[in-house]
Amino acid sequence: MPAERFKVDVEGRALELSNLDKVLYPEAGFTKGEVIDYYTRIAPVLLPHLADRALTRIRFPNGVTGGSFFEKNAPAATPGWVRTETLPAPGSSKGRDTIDYVVADDLPTLVWLANLAALELHTPQWKVGEHPDMMVVDLDPGPPAALRQCCQVALLMRDRLADDGIDSYPKTSGKKGMQLCCPIAGSQSSELVSDYAKRIAQELERAHPKLVVSKMAKNLRPGKVFIDWSQNNAAKTTVSPYSLRAQSVPSVSTPLTWDEVEAGAAGKRPATKPYTAGEVLKRVEKQGDLLAPLLDGGPELPAA
């Protein structure tokens, strides 16, 4: 039986949506139509964080339990009105010299991607043709450490970065960890940003050896929080704010307040439980975009 298709107009762009009743999150009964609805409704706060950034998608055409694939290159049937940028592809696993990236600057592109079951959206810390304007501190707990310990390390990192005049804004990863996003000047190389993040991670590891680890080795991580400074490598991406994640429920990489992080460090909800798409829409309606300051730029990082 052929898939049912619906022609829609999104801000003047003609799109054809299909399989809207297909369940992409079986445990929650969350359908492709609901995915498209979520991305449409969250777009006003999501799109500014995607603008001008090369987009990596993780697609789940048969739902979160049915396999997935990473997609960097624009697919063959990409509409002509979708913005693409041809950029170098150092170390490409497919031997390419360049990649034709999708850049999601507008709602039609976001809806088109959602219709392709691109559940997860990941971006680099740089905009096309520019140095990074954001530093990311990724906090990854090694069991039995969990989000509570991530919150504790986030507070330590916030205070240490503040000593250097760097503001940081927390969000959950939508899985088991969290990230701190720091607006910076956009005038320094990815190597310098990564080196600075590594230096601060190592400082915190020395000061809190029972809680923090700065090396990736798995055998060092049980019961500790790994500060992954390498996320600032130019070739790496981080899950975008407000992106869905492929979990049993439609969890979202959710911006938090520092009050929530402090509560999480004490073992209380809200910060220690993933937020779902519906909850995030309600939060945004009430709080707006907690990560809006990332769009205003920040200072240069101090030299070593």
Side-chain angles (χ1 to χ4, degrees):
M1 183 176 173
E4 193 171 7
R5 297 179 179 275
F6 299 89
K7 292 184 177 181
V8 296
D9 180 284
V10 182
E11 294 184 346
R13 301 296 188 186
L15 284 164
E16 194 172 79
L17 307 182
S18 62
N19 297 315
L20 297 184
D21 293 332
K22 187 171 187 175
V23 175
L24 298 184
Y25 289 83
E27 190 170 311
F30 200 76
T31 66
K32 184 171 155 185
E34 289 174 296
V35 168
I36 294 171
D37 177 69
Y38 167 73
Y39 274 124
T40 300
R41 294 167 63 192
I42 205 68
V45 292
L46 168 59
L47 285 171
H49 296 288
L50 300 179
D52 295 320
R53 298 186 193 272
L55 187 63
T56 296
R57 294 87 62 204
I58 309 181
R59 289 174 57 182
F60 296 81
N62 294 308
V64 297
T65 58
S68 65
F69 60 96
F70 275 82
E71 189 172 60
K72 292 180 180 285
N73 231 36
T78 300
W81 46 261
V82 170
R83 178 183 170 190
T84 59
E85 293 284 348
T86 302
L87 301 173
S92 168
S93 61
K94 298 185 178 178
R96 294 191 180 109
D97 292 326
T98 61
I99 290 176
D100 294 326
Y101 281 98
V102 169
V103 180
D105 282 339
D106 56 24
L107 180 59
T109 301
L110 198 57
V111 172
W112 169 70
L113 290 169
N115 187 56
L116 294 176
L119 299 184
E120 295 199 9
L121 308 175
H122 297 245
T123 50
Q125 318 324 333
W126 42 266
K127 293 182 177 179
V128 174
E130 299 180 13
H131 285 311
D133 61 353
M134 184 168 64
M135 179 179 74
V136 167
V137 179
D138 189 73
L139 304 177
D140 186 10
L147 266 173
R148 179 179 183 178
Q149 287 72 31
C150 284
C151 288
Q152 293 167 355
V153 174
L155 294 170
L156 296 172
M157 179 62 77
R158 174 195 66 181
D159 293 345
R160 174 60 188 86
L161 293 173
D163 289 343
D164 285 342
I166 308 298
D167 293 328
S168 53
Y169 299 88
K171 70 181 181 76
T172 69
S173 69
K175 292 188 174 180
K176 59 189 175 72
M178 59 188 296
Q179 289 105 23
L180 300 188
C181 303
C182 309
I184 56 176
S187 58
Q188 297 163 296
S189 70
S190 295
E191 290 80 10
L192 191 150
V193 176
S194 195
D195 286 347
Y196 173 80
K198 179 179 181 180
R199 189 166 79 246
I200 302 305
Q202 290 173 334
E203 273 187 35
L204 291 182
E205 181 182 38
R206 287 192 296 270
H208 306 276
K210 293 184 178 179
L211 182 61
V212 174
V213 62
S214 68
K215 299 180 183 68
M216 196 173 287
K218 293 282 188 184
N219 64 310
L220 299 176
R221 291 163 63 176
K224 299 181 182 181
V225 175
F226 170 46
I227 300 177
D228 188 359
W229 47 269
S230 74
Q231 285 298 113
N232 296 287
N233 182 303
K236 287 201 173 186
T237 61
T238 302
V239 65
S240 303
Y242 305 108
S243 172
L244 289 166
R245 303 307 306 268
Q247 299 292 283
S248 58
V249 298
S251 63
V252 171
S253 182
T254 308
L256 301 171
T257 67
W258 280 113
D259 285 346
E260 289 173 320
V261 176
E262 288 170 1
K268 303 171 185 175
R269 171 85 203 282
T272 53
K273 180 180 179 295
Y275 287 98
T276 62
E279 291 173 318
V280 169
L281 287 167
K282 290 176 184 174
R283 285 172 63 85
V284 169
E285 188 176 342
K286 181 179 178 181
Q287 300 172 318
D289 180 15
L290 294 174
L291 297 186
L294 295 178
L295 307 174
D296 297 331
E300 286 201 339
L301 297 172

